[in-house]
Amino acid sequence: MKLSGRLFVFHLLFVSLFTGCDKPEKYDPEEVLTTIDTENWNHGYQGFVIIENKESVPIFSELTRGQEFILKRGDKITGDQVNLHLLNILKNPQNEVISWTLYSFIGIYPGTDVDLYSVFNPGLVISSSSLKRIGNIVFTEIPPFEIVTRSANNQRHCHTQNILQVPCAQPGYDSYISGTCFYVCLQQGEEAGYKLVDIPDEPLAEYAISLGGLNDDMSGYIILKDPLNQTDIDITAHGSKGSIEIFALRDQTIFPDNDVEVFVPDGLPQMSSFTTTYVRTPSAERMQKSIYRSGSIATGPSYLDAGLMVNHIPGNMPSISHNNDGFTQLLTEISFNNQIGEWKIVHPDAGGLYIPELPDEVLNAISTGFSLSSQLSDVGIVRVTAIEDSRWQDYNDSVQQTLNPGSYPEDDYTRLSDRKL
């Protein structure tokens, strides 16, 4: 009896040791998966947030402008990582869909913060200005020049070309936003001069800018041309007046020699740091972009080569291949032939993409019987971009900073991307 009793106890211990790992892992139902700030989000849109993964039944919430939404794990979401989906829908007064955008973030950890306005309006700055305008900018006392860079429409946009007239001006007048800066730089041979003008903060039919007495306190930078590719070059200055674009070259033939000469004002509080952007298109199906933010102009760009290959079979998710070095995040953008919908997917690599089972209540908000599978049967364009940013520590950090761009540090950084159709 004693022997059999000992055997029985041992048997229970053996079973416990080798079956204990099968117990389901416990997750805290109060754990916050995401917090969404809808401040400034356009109140004309209908929005939803959905969280799911392959292990779980989706949970969702409809969004309301001006409210903070907190989604907790509850008893439906398991797994260490989840997929976050943000849906933005615009309808006309007849309740017909004008456009919809689904923004998905795959394989992320709980605890993300979302700035909804910034996610759907990247790079836009909210202004309380009434956007008063100058009807027409004119120039006086124009000296001889070969190349001119000048602001157009607003201080964040300029053109570098051979003439003062800009292609984005409306026929018959050259409009500009009141109360902002106007930058103009004229180059003649190896010399250059500039003016930075504060435009009056009032609506005027016309405003004249004299190009006499230009300030020649400038530094010159030489950028070698890319012998194999036409390269766009943009330079934006940052400082006490916000961001001012001061160089935007689209056609390198404007510079007939083997290099591009850029002149930049010295010692201005309006230009204390710079963003230099290079874009080249080795083929019609590929675009590489390199962005450098620092206290000086970046004159020696390098480019990310992710080895991307993209294939799409109607009805399925895109098939993507790449090399495994040099980037942290992939962005897949799918547009559809009806020109109404767009699906953006942020993911760490080519694996793990699938068509999520979104709740019917969410899909029917777009249209009755709507499904992602049917949309994938009528795809127009698939773009895949590999991105590396020196501010990112890892993929999850890249997601957090994409969802909440205000969390980016203000230090110098480099951002490289390689896009493939």
Side-chain angles (χ1 to χ4, degrees):
M1 290 293 295
K2 290 182 180 180
L3 180 59
S4 62
R6 291 186 185 127
L7 289 174
F8 179 70
V9 171
F10 177 80
H11 174 73
L12 288 178
L13 180 60
F14 181 89
V15 171
S16 175
L17 287 173
F18 287 89
T19 61
C21 59
D22 293 331
K23 292 181 180 179
E25 187 172 352
K26 298 294 184 180
Y27 293 95
D28 180 5
E30 293 298 310
E31 182 180 21
V32 174
L33 298 180
T34 187
T35 302
I36 300 179
D37 179 8
T38 64
E39 186 71 24
N40 299 315
W41 176 54
N42 194 322
H43 64 274
Y45 286 84
Q46 184 180 16
F48 293 88
V49 53
I50 310 101
I51 291 179
E52 54 81 35
N53 56 29
K54 287 186 176 181
E55 307 169 40
S56 310
V57 176
I59 60 174
F60 75 96
S61 178
E62 187 168 359
L63 302 173
T64 304
R65 184 178 187 266
Q67 296 185 13
E68 183 181 76
F69 287 81
I70 299 175
L71 267 69
K72 298 182 179 180
R73 182 183 289 274
D75 58 0
K76 292 184 178 180
I77 299 296
T78 61
D80 295 332
Q81 296 179 334
V82 297
N83 303 325
L84 170 68
H85 307 276
L86 302 169
L87 177 62
N88 212 27
I89 307 170
L90 179 63
K91 295 184 178 181
N92 62 21
Q94 291 73 42
N95 203 38
E96 299 169 328
V97 175
I98 298 174
S99 66
W100 62 267
T101 300
L102 180 64
Y103 213 151
S104 300
F105 298 83
I106 308 302
I108 65 176
Y109 289 103
T112 54
D113 294 321
V114 180
D115 179 351
L116 200 63
Y117 178 87
S118 295
V119 169
F120 286 107
N121 302 276
L124 294 184
V125 178
I126 303 167
S127 173
S128 59
S129 169
S130 59
L131 295 183
K132 296 174 289 213
R133 300 192 73 88
I134 303 296
N136 193 36
I137 295 288
V138 297
F139 301 97
T140 63
E141 302 179 81
I142 304 172
F145 66 88
E146 297 171 348
I147 298 169
V148 57
T149 295
R150 53 147 293 192
S151 300
N153 188 49
N154 64 76
Q155 69 181 43
R156 294 174 63 94
H157 179 64
C158 75
H159 290 270
T160 299
Q161 51 191 20
N162 297 123
I163 58 175
L164 275 166
Q165 292 73 36
V166 288
C168 57
Q170 295 294 322
Y173 64 95
D174 191 348
S175 182
Y176 203 76
I177 296 178
S178 302
T180 58
C181 292
F182 188 98
Y183 176 77
V184 57
C185 174
L186 300 182
Q187 297 179 223
Q188 178 79 351
E190 296 181 356
E191 297 183 353
Y194 77 92
K195 279 199 173 178
L196 184 62
V197 180
D198 288 327
I199 300 295
D201 191 10
E202 56 182 306
L204 296 173
E206 189 168 276
Y207 186 74
I209 297 176
S210 170
L211 298 183
L214 297 175
N215 189 334
D216 62 1
D217 189 10
M218 309 187 78
S219 293
Y221 296 84
I222 299 297
I223 300 172
L224 297 180
K225 289 183 178 179
D226 188 328
L228 300 178
N229 305 287
Q230 171 65 41
T231 303
D232 295 346
I233 305 172
D234 291 89
I235 300 174
T236 297
H238 312 280
S240 60
K241 293 288 187 177
S243 297
I244 306 170
E245 189 171 51
I246 61 172
F247 191 82
L249 184 66
R250 299 290 177 269
D251 181 4
Q252 288 190 12
T253 62
I254 291 174
F255 293 86
D257 297 327
N258 293 326
D259 48 52
V260 174
E261 190 165 14
V262 179
F263 288 91
V264 177
D266 291 328
L268 295 181
Q270 299 94 330
M271 300 185 186
S272 56
S273 65
F274 303 89
T275 297
T276 311
T277 302
Y278 295 89
V279 178
R280 72 176 184 182
T281 51
S283 70
E285 296 183 347
R286 187 183 186 192
M287 183 186 78
Q288 295 169 288
K289 179 184 289 188
S290 300
I291 302 173
Y292 303 88
R293 173 73 178 264
S294 68
S296 62
I297 308 303
T299 58
S302 60
Y303 294 94
L304 176 65
D305 184 356
L308 292 169
M309 298 295 292
V310 183
N311 186 39
H312 176 251
I313 299 174
N316 298 321
M317 294 296 290
S319 174
I320 304 167
S321 62
H322 55 75
N323 60 44
N324 293 319
D325 298 323
F327 67 88
T328 301
Q329 180 190 106
L330 287 179
L331 171 63
T332 297
E333 301 170 278
I334 306 172
S335 60
F336 304 99
N337 283 324
N338 60 16
Q339 299 181 345
I340 293 176
E342 181 182 28
W343 188 8
K344 299 181 180 182
I345 309 169
V346 172
H347 49 119
D349 50 44
L353 289 183
Y354 65 94
I355 303 175
E357 293 292 335
L358 302 184
D360 290 340
E361 297 94 325
V362 173
L363 298 175
N364 289 335
I366 301 176
S367 62
T368 303
F370 180 92
S371 73
L372 289 175
S373 295
S374 63
Q375 293 293 305
L376 288 169
S377 297
D378 195 23
V379 168
I381 297 175
V382 178
R383 296 185 181 92
V384 179
T385 306
I387 307 170
E388 174 60 23
D389 192 305
S390 62
R391 296 167 292 185
W392 294 344
Q393 298 180 20
D394 52 30
Y395 170 70
N396 205 58
D397 189 49
S398 81
V399 168
Q400 181 60 69
Q401 294 187 20
T402 304
L403 286 167
N404 185 16
S407 64
Y408 276 121
E410 293 299 325
D411 297 334
D412 297 352
Y413 67 88
T414 299
R415 184 180 178 94
L416 307 180
S417 63
D418 186 7
R419 171 177 290 181
K420 178 72 173 178
L421 294 182

